[in-house]
Amino acid sequence: RGMFEPKVRDTSKRDFDWFARLWRDNAFRHESHRVVAKLFSVGTRMPRFMESFPEARVLYMVRDPVQVIPSALSLVTGVLDKRFGFWTLPEETRRRYIERLYDAFVLLLRTFHEDWVAGRVPRERVMLVRFDRLMQDFDGLMNEMLPFMEVDRTPDLTEAIARVAAEQKTFQSKHKYDAQKFGIEEARIRKDCAFVYETFLTDDGAAKSPPADESALNGSAAVAVH
């Protein structure tokens, strides 16, 4: 943890310099000068990122941790299993790794939340996007997102939005993730991530404890940089 937690070891300058070089090369090779990136590492250091990229606009995806954390655990351990046979390792080794990984995912959510509620994140440049709205109110959400991203609505774009909106409402994911596979109870996730529900996943200002199948905080950020 001490190798990547910004409060202990901050590699922001190195990482953001690499982003800038990569995005500059990307923009040079394409007609558009807008770069869109899906990033997972920005949540723990959003204020520093916004300072480094003053023209950036960020869409921060909010999903239910009960769905996202098991999915993320499955993704990481799946890759490790294919390469190193993770699920054949001794049980104690697997348990220790999963616990550390779980703590890291909670930390990723908590750090952004702390910066958000403390006002360290410029809200005029960071838009929260709830996953349930993305699936059920795609066209309405896009009406809010386009001005935020400074994107003009063209006839072709309007047609594409309408098409995706219709598809989203009937979409059913084939992926099912069970937290208990990793020795983690859903109640524990709700307790450890209560701040997510209280701040981001409530419609009336009251704390919200959703059922296990409710659509879900990812903590990933889609960033548009000119």
Side-chain angles (χ1 to χ4, degrees):
R1 177 167 169 172
M3 292 296 292
F4 69 88
E5 185 175 357
K7 292 181 180 178
V8 180
R9 179 174 180 260
D10 190 358
T11 60
S12 294
K13 185 180 186 307
R14 180 200 68 183
D15 299 342
F16 297 163
D17 285 349
W18 183 78
F19 281 158
R21 185 170 66 253
L22 184 69
W23 294 340
R24 184 173 57 248
D25 291 347
N26 183 288
F28 180 77
R29 289 176 171 84
H30 296 82
E31 293 183 4
S32 174
H33 286 176
R34 165 163 290 199
V35 176
V36 179
K38 183 178 181 181
L39 306 174
F40 296 93
S41 61
V42 173
T44 57
R45 44 194 175 165
M46 187 67 74
R48 285 183 287 272
F49 179 83
M50 303 306 285
E51 291 174 3
S52 298
F53 298 95
E55 295 182 352
R57 295 292 183 272
V58 175
L59 303 173
Y60 186 85
M61 179 69 71
V62 179
R63 301 182 67 185
D64 181 352
V66 165
Q67 298 297 316
V68 167
I69 288 182
S71 172
L73 288 170
S74 178
L75 175 65
V76 175
T77 57
V79 172
L80 292 177
D81 190 53
K82 289 182 178 180
R83 182 62 181 85
F84 303 107
F86 176 81
W87 290 107
T88 65
L89 296 175
E91 181 179 355
E92 175 59 24
T93 302
R94 299 197 311 265
R95 185 198 62 78
R96 182 174 65 246
Y97 182 82
I98 288 173
E99 280 295 315
R100 290 175 175 173
L101 190 58
Y102 172 82
D103 288 343
F105 287 139
V106 175
L107 175 67
L108 185 66
L109 302 179
R110 184 181 297 279
T111 305
F112 174 80
H113 176 269
E114 290 175 351
D115 287 335
W116 179 266
V117 298
R120 292 189 288 268
V121 176
R123 301 195 179 190
E124 72 278 6
R125 295 171 54 208
V126 178
M127 179 179 178
L128 300 180
V129 179
R130 282 182 51 158
F131 183 75
D132 51 352
R133 278 202 68 195
L134 188 69
M135 299 303 294
Q136 298 301 322
D137 184 29
F138 183 81
D139 43 358
L141 184 59
M142 289 301 296
N143 286 335
E144 301 171 16
M145 287 171 54
L146 292 179
F148 171 79
M149 297 183 296
E150 300 177 349
V151 173
D152 295 328
R153 179 185 283 272
T154 65
D156 288 344
L157 182 56
T158 298
E159 181 180 347
I161 290 173
R163 182 178 65 255
V164 173
E167 295 172 351
Q168 293 284 71
K169 293 178 180 179
T170 59
F171 176 79
Q172 294 291 331
S173 175
K174 297 180 180 179
H175 298 287
K176 302 294 181 183
Y177 304 105
D178 184 2
Q180 292 186 349
K181 173 183 177 181
F182 304 98
I184 298 172
E185 298 292 332
E186 291 183 0
R188 177 186 174 188
I189 299 176
R190 292 193 181 96
K191 179 181 178 181
D192 292 344
C193 300
F195 56 92
V196 174
Y197 299 112
E198 294 168 0
T199 302
F200 300 133
L201 292 177
T202 179
D203 296 322
D204 56 7
K208 181 180 181 182
S209 181
D213 61 350
E214 180 171 328
S215 56
L217 199 149
N218 182 332
S220 70
V223 183
V225 181
H226 284 289

PDB file of all heavy atoms in Angstrom, residues 4-30:
ATOM      1  N   PHE A   4       1.901   2.897  -3.395  1.00  0.00           N
ATOM      2  CA  PHE A   4       1.055   3.648  -4.324  1.00  0.00           C
ATOM      3  C   PHE A   4       0.140   4.673  -3.655  1.00  0.00           C
ATOM      4  O   PHE A   4      -0.411   5.528  -4.342  1.00  0.00           O
ATOM      5  CB  PHE A   4       0.184   2.691  -5.154  1.00  0.00           C
ATOM      6  CG  PHE A   4      -0.884   1.977  -4.370  1.00  0.00           C
ATOM      7  CD1 PHE A   4      -2.128   2.554  -4.188  1.00  0.00           C
ATOM      8  CD2 PHE A   4      -0.646   0.730  -3.822  1.00  0.00           C
ATOM      9  CE1 PHE A   4      -3.121   1.905  -3.469  1.00  0.00           C
ATOM     10  CE2 PHE A   4      -1.633   0.071  -3.107  1.00  0.00           C
ATOM     11  CZ  PHE A   4      -2.864   0.660  -2.925  1.00  0.00           C
ATOM     12  N   GLU A   5      -0.043   4.607  -2.347  1.00  0.00           N
ATOM     13  CA  GLU A   5      -0.938   5.580  -1.710  1.00  0.00           C
ATOM     14  C   GLU A   5      -0.289   6.963  -1.758  1.00  0.00           C
ATOM     15  O   GLU A   5       0.820   7.157  -1.246  1.00  0.00           O
ATOM     16  CB  GLU A   5      -1.214   5.175  -0.262  1.00  0.00           C
ATOM     17  CG  GLU A   5      -2.227   6.082   0.409  1.00  0.00           C
ATOM     18  CD  GLU A   5      -2.598   5.608   1.807  1.00  0.00           C
ATOM     19  OE1 GLU A   5      -2.105   4.548   2.233  1.00  0.00           O
ATOM     20  OE2 GLU A   5      -3.378   6.311   2.458  1.00  0.00           O
ATOM     21  N   PRO A   6      -0.957   7.959  -2.356  1.00  0.00           N
ATOM     22  CA  PRO A   6      -0.348   9.280  -2.543  1.00  0.00           C
ATOM     23  C   PRO A   6       0.148   9.936  -1.264  1.00  0.00           C
ATOM     24  O   PRO A   6       1.142  10.661  -1.275  1.00  0.00           O
ATOM     25  CB  PRO A   6      -1.487  10.094  -3.181  1.00  0.00           C
ATOM     26  CG  PRO A   6      -2.311   9.076  -3.886  1.00  0.00           C
ATOM     27  CD  PRO A   6      -2.277   7.863  -2.996  1.00  0.00           C
ATOM     28  N   LYS A   7      -0.537   9.677  -0.126  1.00  0.00           N
ATOM     29  CA  LYS A   7      -0.106  10.294   1.128  1.00  0.00           C
ATOM     30  C   LYS A   7       1.236   9.743   1.598  1.00  0.00           C
ATOM     31  O   LYS A   7       1.922  10.375   2.404  1.00  0.00           O
ATOM     32  CB  LYS A   7      -1.168  10.064   2.206  1.00  0.00           C
ATOM     33  CG  LYS A   7      -2.472  10.813   1.962  1.00  0.00           C
ATOM     34  CD  LYS A   7      -3.458  10.539   3.079  1.00  0.00           C
ATOM     35  CE  LYS A   7      -4.772  11.285   2.825  1.00  0.00           C
ATOM     36  NZ  LYS A   7      -5.782  11.002   3.896  1.00  0.00           N
ATOM     37  N   VAL A   8       1.597   8.564   1.096  1.00  0.00           N
ATOM     38  CA  VAL A   8       2.856   7.942   1.489  1.00  0.00           C
ATOM     39  C   VAL A   8       3.907   8.102   0.387  1.00  0.00           C
ATOM     40  O   VAL A   8       5.046   8.489   0.645  1.00  0.00           O
ATOM     41  CB  VAL A   8       2.648   6.443   1.795  1.00  0.00           C
ATOM     42  CG1 VAL A   8       3.979   5.792   2.205  1.00  0.00           C
ATOM     43  CG2 VAL A   8       1.599   6.256   2.883  1.00  0.00           C
ATOM     44  N   ARG A   9       3.503   7.807  -0.836  1.00  0.00           N
ATOM     45  CA  ARG A   9       4.420   7.894  -1.983  1.00  0.00           C
ATOM     46  C   ARG A   9       3.661   8.494  -3.158  1.00  0.00           C
ATOM     47  O   ARG A   9       2.863   7.836  -3.795  1.00  0.00           O
ATOM     48  CB  ARG A   9       4.948   6.502  -2.345  1.00  0.00           C
ATOM     49  CG  ARG A   9       5.890   6.472  -3.551  1.00  0.00           C
ATOM     50  CD  ARG A   9       6.470   5.078  -3.723  1.00  0.00           C
ATOM     51  NE  ARG A   9       7.377   4.999  -4.869  1.00  0.00           N
ATOM     52  CZ  ARG A   9       7.013   4.503  -6.059  1.00  0.00           C
ATOM     53  NH1 ARG A   9       5.788   4.032  -6.247  1.00  0.00           N
ATOM     54  NH2 ARG A   9       7.877   4.458  -7.051  1.00  0.00           N
ATOM     55  N   ASP A  10       3.917   9.755  -3.426  1.00  0.00           N
ATOM     56  CA  ASP A  10       3.168  10.474  -4.460  1.00  0.00           C
ATOM     57  C   ASP A  10       3.952  10.485  -5.768  1.00  0.00           C
ATOM     58  O   ASP A  10       5.004  11.105  -5.866  1.00  0.00           O
ATOM     59  CB  ASP A  10       2.893  11.904  -3.999  1.00  0.00           C
ATOM     60  CG  ASP A  10       1.917  12.628  -4.913  1.00  0.00           C
ATOM     61  OD1 ASP A  10       1.495  12.022  -5.915  1.00  0.00           O
ATOM     62  OD2 ASP A  10       1.572  13.786  -4.625  1.00  0.00           O
ATOM     63  N   THR A  11       3.422   9.781  -6.759  1.00  0.00           N
ATOM     64  CA  THR A  11       4.069   9.734  -8.074  1.00  0.00           C
ATOM     65  C   THR A  11       3.297  10.561  -9.104  1.00  0.00           C
ATOM     66  O   THR A  11       3.401  10.321 -10.307  1.00  0.00           O
ATOM     67  CB  THR A  11       4.175   8.275  -8.565  1.00  0.00           C
ATOM     68  OG1 THR A  11       2.850   7.717  -8.673  1.00  0.00           O
ATOM     69  CG2 THR A  11       5.010   7.433  -7.614  1.00  0.00           C
ATOM     70  N   SER A  12       2.514  11.524  -8.624  1.00  0.00           N
ATOM     71  CA  SER A  12       1.634  12.282  -9.515  1.00  0.00           C
ATOM     72  C   SER A  12       2.402  12.973 -10.633  1.00  0.00           C
ATOM     73  O   SER A  12       1.997  12.911 -11.798  1.00  0.00           O
ATOM     74  CB  SER A  12       0.836  13.324  -8.717  1.00  0.00           C
ATOM     75  OG  SER A  12      -0.057  12.696  -7.823  1.00  0.00           O
ATOM     76  N   LYS A  13       3.484  13.668 -10.311  1.00  0.00           N
ATOM     77  CA  LYS A  13       4.209  14.398 -11.348  1.00  0.00           C
ATOM     78  C   LYS A  13       4.704  13.444 -12.431  1.00  0.00           C
ATOM     79  O   LYS A  13       4.536  13.714 -13.624  1.00  0.00           O
ATOM     80  CB  LYS A  13       5.385  15.164 -10.750  1.00  0.00           C
ATOM     81  CG  LYS A  13       6.100  16.037 -11.798  1.00  0.00           C
ATOM     82  CD  LYS A  13       7.262  16.799 -11.220  1.00  0.00           C
ATOM     83  CE  LYS A  13       7.835  17.771 -12.275  1.00  0.00           C
ATOM     84  NZ  LYS A  13       8.158  17.094 -13.551  1.00  0.00           N
ATOM     85  N   ARG A  14       5.290  12.336 -12.032  1.00  0.00           N
ATOM     86  CA  ARG A  14       5.765  11.363 -13.017  1.00  0.00           C
ATOM     87  C   ARG A  14       4.622  10.843 -13.878  1.00  0.00           C
ATOM     88  O   ARG A  14       4.720  10.804 -15.108  1.00  0.00           O
ATOM     89  CB  ARG A  14       6.424  10.193 -12.285  1.00  0.00           C
ATOM     90  CG  ARG A  14       6.959   9.115 -13.201  1.00  0.00           C
ATOM     91  CD  ARG A  14       7.142   7.792 -12.460  1.00  0.00           C
ATOM     92  NE  ARG A  14       5.835   7.229 -12.084  1.00  0.00           N
ATOM     93  CZ  ARG A  14       5.696   6.105 -11.366  1.00  0.00           C
ATOM     94  NH1 ARG A  14       6.764   5.476 -10.915  1.00  0.00           N
ATOM     95  NH2 ARG A  14       4.493   5.647 -11.082  1.00  0.00           N
ATOM     96  N   ASP A  15       3.511  10.470 -13.222  1.00  0.00           N
ATOM     97  CA  ASP A  15       2.389   9.874 -13.943  1.00  0.00           C
ATOM     98  C   ASP A  15       1.704  10.885 -14.849  1.00  0.00           C
ATOM     99  O   ASP A  15       1.345  10.569 -15.991  1.00  0.00           O
ATOM    100  CB  ASP A  15       1.378   9.301 -12.947  1.00  0.00           C
ATOM    101  CG  ASP A  15       1.980   8.210 -12.081  1.00  0.00           C
ATOM    102  OD1 ASP A  15       3.041   7.665 -12.460  1.00  0.00           O
ATOM    103  OD2 ASP A  15       1.408   7.909 -11.017  1.00  0.00           O
ATOM    104  N   PHE A  16       1.518  12.106 -14.367  1.00  0.00           N
ATOM    105  CA  PHE A  16       0.821  13.115 -15.158  1.00  0.00           C
ATOM    106  C   PHE A  16       1.687  13.605 -16.319  1.00  0.00           C
ATOM    107  O   PHE A  16       1.171  13.957 -17.374  1.00  0.00           O
ATOM    108  CB  PHE A  16       0.379  14.278 -14.278  1.00  0.00           C
ATOM    109  CG  PHE A  16      -0.614  13.875 -13.216  1.00  0.00           C
ATOM    110  CD1 PHE A  16      -0.857  14.690 -12.118  1.00  0.00           C
ATOM    111  CD2 PHE A  16      -1.316  12.678 -13.307  1.00  0.00           C
ATOM    112  CE1 PHE A  16      -1.773  14.322 -11.151  1.00  0.00           C
ATOM    113  CE2 PHE A  16      -2.229  12.296 -12.340  1.00  0.00           C
ATOM    114  CZ  PHE A  16      -2.459  13.123 -11.251  1.00  0.00           C
ATOM    115  N   ASP A  17       2.993  13.637 -16.127  1.00  0.00           N
ATOM    116  CA  ASP A  17       3.889  13.961 -17.246  1.00  0.00           C
ATOM    117  C   ASP A  17       3.761  12.899 -18.335  1.00  0.00           C
ATOM    118  O   ASP A  17       3.790  13.208 -19.528  1.00  0.00           O
ATOM    119  CB  ASP A  17       5.342  14.043 -16.772  1.00  0.00           C
ATOM    120  CG  ASP A  17       5.638  15.320 -16.002  1.00  0.00           C
ATOM    121  OD1 ASP A  17       4.775  16.227 -16.013  1.00  0.00           O
ATOM    122  OD2 ASP A  17       6.711  15.413 -15.378  1.00  0.00           O
ATOM    123  N   TRP A  18       3.620  11.644 -17.916  1.00  0.00           N
ATOM    124  CA  TRP A  18       3.451  10.553 -18.884  1.00  0.00           C
ATOM    125  C   TRP A  18       2.120  10.680 -19.612  1.00  0.00           C
ATOM    126  O   TRP A  18       2.044  10.504 -20.826  1.00  0.00           O
ATOM    127  CB  TRP A  18       3.543   9.207 -18.161  1.00  0.00           C
ATOM    128  CG  TRP A  18       3.446   8.036 -19.089  1.00  0.00           C
ATOM    129  CD1 TRP A  18       4.414   7.535 -19.897  1.00  0.00           C
ATOM    130  CD2 TRP A  18       2.277   7.226 -19.316  1.00  0.00           C
ATOM    131  NE1 TRP A  18       3.947   6.454 -20.615  1.00  0.00           N
ATOM    132  CE2 TRP A  18       2.639   6.239 -20.279  1.00  0.00           C
ATOM    133  CE3 TRP A  18       0.993   7.228 -18.802  1.00  0.00           C
ATOM    134  CZ2 TRP A  18       1.738   5.283 -20.724  1.00  0.00           C
ATOM    135  CZ3 TRP A  18       0.092   6.270 -19.241  1.00  0.00           C
ATOM    136  CH2 TRP A  18       0.469   5.309 -20.193  1.00  0.00           C
ATOM    137  N   PHE A  19       1.040  11.009 -18.863  1.00  0.00           N
ATOM    138  CA  PHE A  19      -0.261  11.253 -19.500  1.00  0.00           C
ATOM    139  C   PHE A  19      -0.128  12.337 -20.565  1.00  0.00           C
ATOM    140  O   PHE A  19      -0.616  12.190 -21.683  1.00  0.00           O
ATOM    141  CB  PHE A  19      -1.288  11.713 -18.450  1.00  0.00           C
ATOM    142  CG  PHE A  19      -1.868  10.608 -17.624  1.00  0.00           C
ATOM    143  CD1 PHE A  19      -2.432  10.888 -16.389  1.00  0.00           C
ATOM    144  CD2 PHE A  19      -1.891   9.297 -18.069  1.00  0.00           C
ATOM    145  CE1 PHE A  19      -2.985   9.878 -15.614  1.00  0.00           C
ATOM    146  CE2 PHE A  19      -2.431   8.287 -17.305  1.00  0.00           C
ATOM    147  CZ  PHE A  19      -2.984   8.577 -16.068  1.00  0.00           C
ATOM    148  N   ALA A  20       0.490  13.454 -20.195  1.00  0.00           N
ATOM    149  CA  ALA A  20       0.600  14.589 -21.108  1.00  0.00           C
ATOM    150  C   ALA A  20       1.341  14.206 -22.379  1.00  0.00           C
ATOM    151  O   ALA A  20       0.935  14.575 -23.485  1.00  0.00           O
ATOM    152  CB  ALA A  20       1.305  15.754 -20.407  1.00  0.00           C
ATOM    153  N   ARG A  21       2.424  13.465 -22.235  1.00  0.00           N
ATOM    154  CA  ARG A  21       3.204  13.053 -23.406  1.00  0.00           C
ATOM    155  C   ARG A  21       2.393  12.097 -24.279  1.00  0.00           C
ATOM    156  O   ARG A  21       2.360  12.230 -25.506  1.00  0.00           O
ATOM    157  CB  ARG A  21       4.501  12.386 -22.955  1.00  0.00           C
ATOM    158  CG  ARG A  21       5.435  12.035 -24.107  1.00  0.00           C
ATOM    159  CD  ARG A  21       6.815  11.603 -23.599  1.00  0.00           C
ATOM    160  NE  ARG A  21       6.768  10.359 -22.843  1.00  0.00           N
ATOM    161  CZ  ARG A  21       6.906  10.277 -21.519  1.00  0.00           C
ATOM    162  NH1 ARG A  21       7.076  11.386 -20.802  1.00  0.00           N
ATOM    163  NH2 ARG A  21       6.871   9.110 -20.908  1.00  0.00           N
ATOM    164  N   LEU A  22       1.708  11.157 -23.653  1.00  0.00           N
ATOM    165  CA  LEU A  22       0.916  10.182 -24.386  1.00  0.00           C
ATOM    166  C   LEU A  22      -0.229  10.868 -25.128  1.00  0.00           C
ATOM    167  O   LEU A  22      -0.476  10.606 -26.311  1.00  0.00           O
ATOM    168  CB  LEU A  22       0.359   9.143 -23.410  1.00  0.00           C
ATOM    169  CG  LEU A  22      -0.424   7.978 -24.001  1.00  0.00           C
ATOM    170  CD1 LEU A  22       0.495   7.057 -24.780  1.00  0.00           C
ATOM    171  CD2 LEU A  22      -1.123   7.197 -22.892  1.00  0.00           C
ATOM    172  N   TRP A  23      -0.932  11.759 -24.441  1.00  0.00           N
ATOM    173  CA  TRP A  23      -2.086  12.427 -25.051  1.00  0.00           C
ATOM    174  C   TRP A  23      -1.656  13.406 -26.129  1.00  0.00           C
ATOM    175  O   TRP A  23      -2.360  13.602 -27.116  1.00  0.00           O
ATOM    176  CB  TRP A  23      -2.903  13.130 -23.964  1.00  0.00           C
ATOM    177  CG  TRP A  23      -3.545  12.152 -23.014  1.00  0.00           C
ATOM    178  CD1 TRP A  23      -3.793  10.831 -23.237  1.00  0.00           C
ATOM    179  CD2 TRP A  23      -3.998  12.423 -21.683  1.00  0.00           C
ATOM    180  NE1 TRP A  23      -4.387  10.257 -22.132  1.00  0.00           N
ATOM    181  CE2 TRP A  23      -4.527  11.204 -21.174  1.00  0.00           C
ATOM    182  CE3 TRP A  23      -4.024  13.565 -20.884  1.00  0.00           C
ATOM    183  CZ2 TRP A  23      -5.072  11.110 -19.886  1.00  0.00           C
ATOM    184  CZ3 TRP A  23      -4.565  13.474 -19.602  1.00  0.00           C
ATOM    185  CH2 TRP A  23      -5.079  12.260 -19.119  1.00  0.00           C
ATOM    186  N   ARG A  24      -0.513  14.029 -25.944  1.00  0.00           N
ATOM    187  CA  ARG A  24      -0.003  14.949 -26.975  1.00  0.00           C
ATOM    188  C   ARG A  24       0.316  14.182 -28.248  1.00  0.00           C
ATOM    189  O   ARG A  24      -0.020  14.619 -29.353  1.00  0.00           O
ATOM    190  CB  ARG A  24       1.224  15.680 -26.445  1.00  0.00           C
ATOM    191  CG  ARG A  24       1.783  16.724 -27.403  1.00  0.00           C
ATOM    192  CD  ARG A  24       2.884  17.545 -26.765  1.00  0.00           C
ATOM    193  NE  ARG A  24       3.968  16.720 -26.271  1.00  0.00           N
ATOM    194  CZ  ARG A  24       4.267  16.553 -24.991  1.00  0.00           C
ATOM    195  NH1 ARG A  24       3.540  17.151 -24.057  1.00  0.00           N
ATOM    196  NH2 ARG A  24       5.293  15.790 -24.621  1.00  0.00           N
ATOM    197  N   ASP A  25       0.951  13.025 -28.091  1.00  0.00           N
ATOM    198  CA  ASP A  25       1.256  12.201 -29.268  1.00  0.00           C
ATOM    199  C   ASP A  25      -0.023  11.718 -29.928  1.00  0.00           C
ATOM    200  O   ASP A  25      -0.129  11.668 -31.163  1.00  0.00           O
ATOM    201  CB  ASP A  25       2.114  11.004 -28.860  1.00  0.00           C
ATOM    202  CG  ASP A  25       3.511  11.407 -28.440  1.00  0.00           C
ATOM    203  OD1 ASP A  25       3.892  12.569 -28.698  1.00  0.00           O
ATOM    204  OD2 ASP A  25       4.213  10.572 -27.832  1.00  0.00           O
ATOM    205  N   ASN A  26      -1.006  11.354 -29.135  1.00  0.00           N
ATOM    206  CA  ASN A  26      -2.290  10.885 -29.658  1.00  0.00           C
ATOM    207  C   ASN A  26      -2.973  11.987 -30.458  1.00  0.00           C
ATOM    208  O   ASN A  26      -3.476  11.752 -31.563  1.00  0.00           O
ATOM    209  CB  ASN A  26      -3.169  10.416 -28.503  1.00  0.00           C
ATOM    210  CG  ASN A  26      -4.488   9.843 -28.963  1.00  0.00           C
ATOM    211  OD1 ASN A  26      -5.369  10.572 -29.404  1.00  0.00           O
ATOM    212  ND2 ASN A  26      -4.644   8.535 -28.838  1.00  0.00           N
ATOM    213  N   ALA A  27      -3.007  13.197 -29.890  1.00  0.00           N
ATOM    214  CA  ALA A  27      -3.657  14.319 -30.565  1.00  0.00           C
ATOM    215  C   ALA A  27      -2.930  14.681 -31.854  1.00  0.00           C
ATOM    216  O   ALA A  27      -3.553  15.072 -32.846  1.00  0.00           O
ATOM    217  CB  ALA A  27      -3.707  15.530 -29.624  1.00  0.00           C
ATOM    218  N   PHE A  28      -1.618  14.547 -31.865  1.00  0.00           N
ATOM    219  CA  PHE A  28      -0.825  14.882 -33.051  1.00  0.00           C
ATOM    220  C   PHE A  28      -1.166  13.963 -34.216  1.00  0.00           C
ATOM    221  O   PHE A  28      -1.127  14.366 -35.374  1.00  0.00           O
ATOM    222  CB  PHE A  28       0.667  14.788 -32.722  1.00  0.00           C
ATOM    223  CG  PHE A  28       1.564  15.115 -33.865  1.00  0.00           C
ATOM    224  CD1 PHE A  28       1.771  16.445 -34.247  1.00  0.00           C
ATOM    225  CD2 PHE A  28       2.202  14.114 -34.582  1.00  0.00           C
ATOM    226  CE1 PHE A  28       2.598  16.751 -35.312  1.00  0.00           C
ATOM    227  CE2 PHE A  28       3.031  14.408 -35.651  1.00  0.00           C
ATOM    228  CZ  PHE A  28       3.231  15.741 -36.017  1.00  0.00           C
ATOM    229  N   ARG A  29      -1.547  12.712 -33.902  1.00  0.00           N
ATOM    230  CA  ARG A  29      -1.790  11.716 -34.941  1.00  0.00           C
ATOM    231  C   ARG A  29      -3.252  11.696 -35.401  1.00  0.00           C
ATOM    232  O   ARG A  29      -3.596  10.917 -36.288  1.00  0.00           O
ATOM    233  CB  ARG A  29      -1.389  10.333 -34.437  1.00  0.00           C
ATOM    234  CG  ARG A  29       0.121  10.147 -34.301  1.00  0.00           C
ATOM    235  CD  ARG A  29       0.453   8.779 -33.710  1.00  0.00           C
ATOM    236  NE  ARG A  29       1.887   8.493 -33.773  1.00  0.00           N
ATOM    237  CZ  ARG A  29       2.764   8.913 -32.870  1.00  0.00           C
ATOM    238  NH1 ARG A  29       2.353   9.633 -31.842  1.00  0.00           N
ATOM    239  NH2 ARG A  29       4.045   8.606 -32.991  1.00  0.00           N
ATOM    240  N   HIS A  30      -4.105  12.511 -34.814  1.00  0.00           N
ATOM    241  CA  HIS A  30      -5.519  12.488 -35.170  1.00  0.00           C
ATOM    242  C   HIS A  30      -6.008  13.906 -35.454  1.00  0.00           C
ATOM    243  O   HIS A  30      -5.421  14.892 -35.004  1.00  0.00           O
ATOM    244  CB  HIS A  30      -6.347  11.875 -34.047  1.00  0.00           C
ATOM    245  CG  HIS A  30      -6.025  10.426 -33.785  1.00  0.00           C
ATOM    246  ND1 HIS A  30      -4.961  10.044 -33.006  1.00  0.00           N
ATOM    247  CD2 HIS A  30      -6.613   9.284 -34.224  1.00  0.00           C
ATOM    248  CE1 HIS A  30      -4.903   8.718 -32.956  1.00  0.00           C
ATOM    249  NE2 HIS A  30      -5.892   8.235 -33.683  1.00  0.00           N
TER     250      HIS A  30
END
